[in-house]
Amino acid sequence: MKQQLSILIPTYNYACLPLVKELYRQATAIVGLNFEILVAEDGSSDARTMATNEHIKDLSYCRHIVRQENVGRAQIRNILAATARYPWLLFVDSDMKVVVEDFLLRYLNTTEEQRVVYGGNSIGADLMPKGSELKYKYERQAEIFHTPTQRSLSPNSHFNTSNVLIAQTVLERIPFDHRFRTYGYEDVFFGKTLEQAGITVTHIYNPLGFNHYDSNADFLSKTEESLHTLYQFRDELSDLSPIIHCSQQLERWHLGRLFRFTFKLLHPLLRRHLQGRHPSLSLFSLYKLGLYMMQN
């Protein structure tokens, strides 16, 4: 079993003290484990959440790092990795919650050869939150269709940084690409880079739950942000993105102009529907394709 672990939590305007306390509780219960928990505020501006997170430093082996400048989703993880003192790095998103009693043990019991291990996410039996139906449905579908077995069929394409164990030597060699500052695709690109380096992601069942669901409006805004990122790095992500593939197919069939014209007309109706109580994931996929193609 691994005996040294750095738990790294980047956060932005989110109070993650309960998450830290649970991880701390599990870590202190493991005999012989040397651990630390580092929480980094990536340019957070909300005084209330920061005041709550300040109490993280009251726990032994825990640090609360406040950074004035927001450096983005990729670089803040590189900074945390460079600050960590132990050889195994567990990245956890601040708005997640621990849902299994032996969460840390499941990671610590993986082999030394498994240098990148992804545990997955789960919404469990949570009720669909009013006003956040789109995010809830999206994550519910992802949980159903992305079991460890299914993810392992294309291991480096199906993981994200919300719940992943990485050997520090891997990140020293292959850091997260700091060009990815905004929401989306930094993990997709990282997985591709790992594959090119001959490192395969291991998939296990060790989920974290969702402690927060973005509102429909906020989730759509993040989606728009991610599609801008996708377009910006389209050449490097073209072999990984179904959206790029569909876009290329439409252009190949000379239907791109017609699709963009139709989407422009329907855009307000689609957006209104996706912010309603019964959003369709099929229409959400169509919406993402349309937003991507409108950037052409």
Side-chain angles (χ1 to χ4, degrees), residues 81-117:
T83 307
R85 61 185 297 188
Y86 294 124
W88 289 98
L89 313 176
L90 175 58
F91 287 96
V92 173
D93 275 4
S94 62
D95 59 352
M96 307 302 283
K97 62 182 177 182
V98 178
V99 294
V100 291
E101 185 64 27
D102 56 347
F103 174 72
L104 292 183
L105 274 173
R106 294 187 190 193
Y107 275 129
L108 293 172
N109 283 326
T110 56
T111 69
E112 295 292 316
E113 291 74 26
Q114 296 170 320
R115 293 180 288 168
V116 180
V117 185

Side-chain angles (χ1 to χ4, degrees), residues 256-268:
R257 182 177 296 181
L258 176 62
F259 183 88
R260 282 189 288 271
F261 175 77
T262 305
F263 177 78
K264 188 174 182 180
L265 293 177
L266 295 178
H267 177 265

Side-chain angles (χ1 to χ4, degrees), residues 139-151:
E139 297 298 348
R140 167 66 84 183
Q141 185 182 75
E143 181 180 357
I144 294 171
F145 292 103
H146 292 84
T147 65
T149 299
Q150 291 166 319
R151 296 194 310 261

